Amino acid sequence: MGVNYSLENVRSLWETGITLPLSFRREQLLTLQHAIEVNEGVILDALRADLGKPPCEAYASELGFVLADIQYALKHLAAWARPQRHHTPLGLQPARSSVHPQPYGIVLIIGPWNYPFALTLSPLVSALAAGNGVCMKPSEFAPQVSAVLARLAREYFRPDILTVIEGDATVAGTLARLPFDKIFFTGSTAVGRRVLEAAAANLIPVTLELGGKSPCIVCDDADLRVAARRIAWGKFLNAGQTCVAPDHVWVQASCLRPLVEHLTATIQTFYGPNPQQSPDYSRIINLHHLQRLTAYLGQGHLECGGQHDLNDRYLAPTIMTGVPLAASIMQEEIFGPILPVLPFNTLDEVIKQVRTQPRPLALYAFTENRATQTRLLAETSSGGVCFNDTVSHILARDLPFGGIGASGMGAYHGKAGFDAFTHYRSVMTRSLHWDPGFKYPPVTTSLVAMKRIYRFLLGS
């Protein structure tokens, strides 16, 4: 499949400098806000068609999420874009030093299928705020949302400001090999590697928002009823298809049975005796992923759930125990509504287990013991950490969101999002009225004297 996109033409339009004034950037953000608000019903229908998302969940996790990003960017844009004065060493005086935020240029955003609206448009907000032109490639696995995004781009934006290219993985690969000024990718670790390889040929900076097996640790001092409610909410939101969902739970052995009972009761409270009939429960994106998930069901003891309907793309919220560490469900990112619950005896033991896995996008722990929290922060590594809740930390716009190692590269949200699409240009302006000769040849000072001069003049 070919790509009908001329990066050179778009770049020539962008290079007129139209995006540099803050007034223009605000106008684009307000246009995006208006497009979302006017087309709310169409967007919610598309999310229902692609993922079976209930309207309230879809609004809170997709539309509302992006609208909050826009409001935050509008509020802080002037401060983010302002040049910042910096110190100038004594030996370079008289001079002024500053850092000027500058848009990268034309950027490529490749979106995922699990939150096809929010995780494609949230980086768009940051890119527009930073003054870039954008080419956006939504996921083909959410075709209804992809079509809506393409239409909104055509109807509300100039093509040099925003163009949406639809298509399959071949199209995404073709785009990633073009000489964009920045690439922002959200998706799986495997595809993220391929995007990084493609970008390397043109030395394109890349932000990768990936995933991994985010562990959740429940200690014996936690309120198990509250922990179960917050774990179940984070795990079964969007039928488990959330990059920061708790992948599995480690619980202190003495609390395993009570926690499982609370989780089982919470699922019934949330979704009723038959979650397939619940208006608040989503569906699996496609048959391939549903079959991948159902293959895990025989790898442990089903405490609850496991029911599935291929025609409806449905898999019930499922709790499993007795899962061997060598099982594939404990080696691969689950990315669905199956929650293995495993016992541990000592904190040393669970920290060792967490450290055997690639560094995850998130780590969760339910404990109010400060010493335990301190140990977990010091002895584990992850993109982010949330104590006594799951998923909620991504809603704090002042917190950079991103992974580490296999779970990602770079961060965004709020100021970090503006930074992700901004080149910080260092600028020094010196005076012509004073030009001491000691730095020019021929050298008339000894090496010992030169060392002293450097320490005094440049170490200040």
Side-chain angles (χ1 to χ4, degrees):
M1 181 182 294
V3 174
N4 184 23
Y5 182 75
S6 174
L7 180 58
E8 293 75 15
N9 289 344
V10 171
R11 193 187 304 281
S12 66
L13 291 169
W14 178 85
E15 286 178 347
T16 61
I18 189 174
T19 66
L20 295 181
L22 296 191
S23 58
F24 183 86
R25 304 185 199 186
R26 290 192 183 96
E27 180 184 334
Q28 303 314 299
L29 293 173
L30 290 170
T31 296
L32 182 60
Q33 175 180 295
H34 176 71
I36 294 170
E37 291 172 345
V38 169
N39 293 275
E40 176 183 308
V42 175
I43 299 166
L44 291 175
D45 288 345
L47 289 165
R48 170 72 81 175
D50 285 335
L51 284 146
K53 290 199 178 192
C56 287
E57 178 185 311
Y59 185 88
S61 64
E62 301 255 19
L63 287 76
F65 190 89
V66 176
L67 291 171
D69 276 345
I70 293 171
Q71 287 302 309
Y72 193 86
L74 288 169
K75 180 178 179 181
H76 296 279
L77 179 57
W80 295 345
R82 186 178 301 124
Q84 302 295 319
R85 290 290 298 272
H86 284 257
H87 171 72
T88 303
L90 179 62
L92 298 174
Q93 297 288 1
R96 297 189 308 276
S97 297
S98 57
V99 172
H100 293 241
Q102 183 181 58
Y104 270 115
I106 306 300
V107 303
L108 172 64
I109 296 173
I110 303 176
W113 55 259
N114 59 325
Y115 290 85
F117 188 82
L119 296 187
T120 307
L121 265 62
S122 184
L124 172 65
V125 171
S126 297
L128 293 177
N132 296 277
V134 180
C135 176
M136 205 160 63
K137 165 61 178 69
S139 173
E140 70 275 19
F141 294 126
Q144 299 301 316
V145 173
S146 179
V148 169
L149 292 177
R151 180 177 64 80
L152 296 184
R154 289 193 303 269
E155 292 182 3
Y156 291 90
F157 291 90
R158 293 171 34 158
D160 54 320
I161 304 302
L162 175 61
T163 296
V164 171
I165 305 293
E166 295 189 273
D168 59 14
T170 303
V171 171
T174 299
L175 289 170
R177 287 188 290 272
L178 295 178
F180 285 94
D181 300 301
K182 173 71 188 264
I183 296 178
F184 190 107
F185 170 81
T186 305
S188 70
T189 300
V191 178
R193 287 193 180 96
R194 295 201 292 271
V195 170
L196 190 59
E197 289 173 1
N202 291 305
L203 297 178
I204 302 171
V206 176
T207 296
L208 300 176
E209 294 296 338
L210 309 177
K213 295 182 71 63
S214 296
C216 180
I217 301 165
V218 180
C219 299
D220 57 7
D221 68 307
D223 183 322
L224 297 182
R225 183 182 61 84
V226 174
R229 190 162 59 220
R230 294 181 179 181
I231 293 169
W233 172 75
K235 177 63 177 182
F236 302 117
L237 179 73
N238 197 31
Q241 300 165 116
T242 303
C243 58
V244 289
D247 181 90
H248 55 282
V249 172
W250 290 97
V251 57
Q252 210 130 22
S254 61
C255 300
L256 186 144
R257 186 49 46 191
L259 179 64
V260 168
E261 292 171 357
H262 281 298
L263 284 167
T264 302
T266 298
I267 289 170
Q268 180 152 342
T269 299
F270 283 4
Y271 306 113
N274 182 3
Q276 189 170 9
Q277 303 300 319
S278 170
D280 299 311
Y281 189 67
S282 298
R283 295 299 186 262
I284 306 303
I285 184 66
N286 56 37
L287 184 60
H288 166 74
H289 280 282
L290 180 55
Q291 291 173 328
R292 176 185 63 81
L293 290 166
T294 56
Y296 292 141
L297 296 176
Q299 298 182 6
H301 175 69
L302 291 175
E303 297 284 349
C304 72
Q307 300 87 359
H308 52 279
D309 183 339
L310 298 182
N311 292 326
D312 192 26
R313 293 181 288 139
Y314 167 75
L315 175 58
T318 301
I319 306 295
M320 294 176 64
T321 57
V323 178
L325 293 181
S328 61
I329 193 173
M330 290 304 299
Q331 304 301 316
E332 303 162 358
E333 184 178 10
I334 298 171
F335 218 67
I338 304 173
L339 183 65
V341 180
L342 306 101
F344 73 91
N345 293 304
T346 67
L347 193 61
D348 287 338
E349 174 190 340
V350 73
I351 287 175
K352 181 180 178 181
Q353 292 294 341
V354 169
R355 288 167 64 98
T356 63
Q357 296 284 347
R359 291 178 286 183
L361 190 54
L363 182 143
Y364 303 111
F366 286 82
T367 177
E368 296 195 81
N369 185 302
R370 291 294 181 88
T372 299
Q373 294 177 1
T374 299
R375 277 202 66 190
L376 289 171
L377 288 176
E379 299 179 32
T380 66
S381 179
S382 62
V385 175
C386 187
F387 289 118
N388 298 319
D389 203 356
T390 64
V391 180
S392 295
H393 64 295
I394 71 171
L395 300 176
R397 264 55 186 193
D398 277 347
L399 288 178
F401 173 72
I404 182 172
S407 62
M409 177 187 299
Y412 74 123
H413 287 182
K415 175 63 161 54
F418 182 88
D419 293 345
F421 290 97
T422 297
H423 168 62
Y424 283 89
R425 192 181 195 184
S426 297
V427 178
M428 179 179 288
T429 304
R430 299 199 65 210
S431 171
L432 292 171
H433 296 298
W434 188 61
D435 193 36
F438 70 85
K439 73 175 182 179
Y440 300 118
V443 177
T444 58
T445 59
S446 67
L447 180 59
V448 172
M450 182 61 71
K451 289 179 180 179
R452 290 173 179 165
I453 291 170
Y454 259 67
R455 282 197 296 269
F456 176 71
L457 295 181
L458 298 182
S460 58

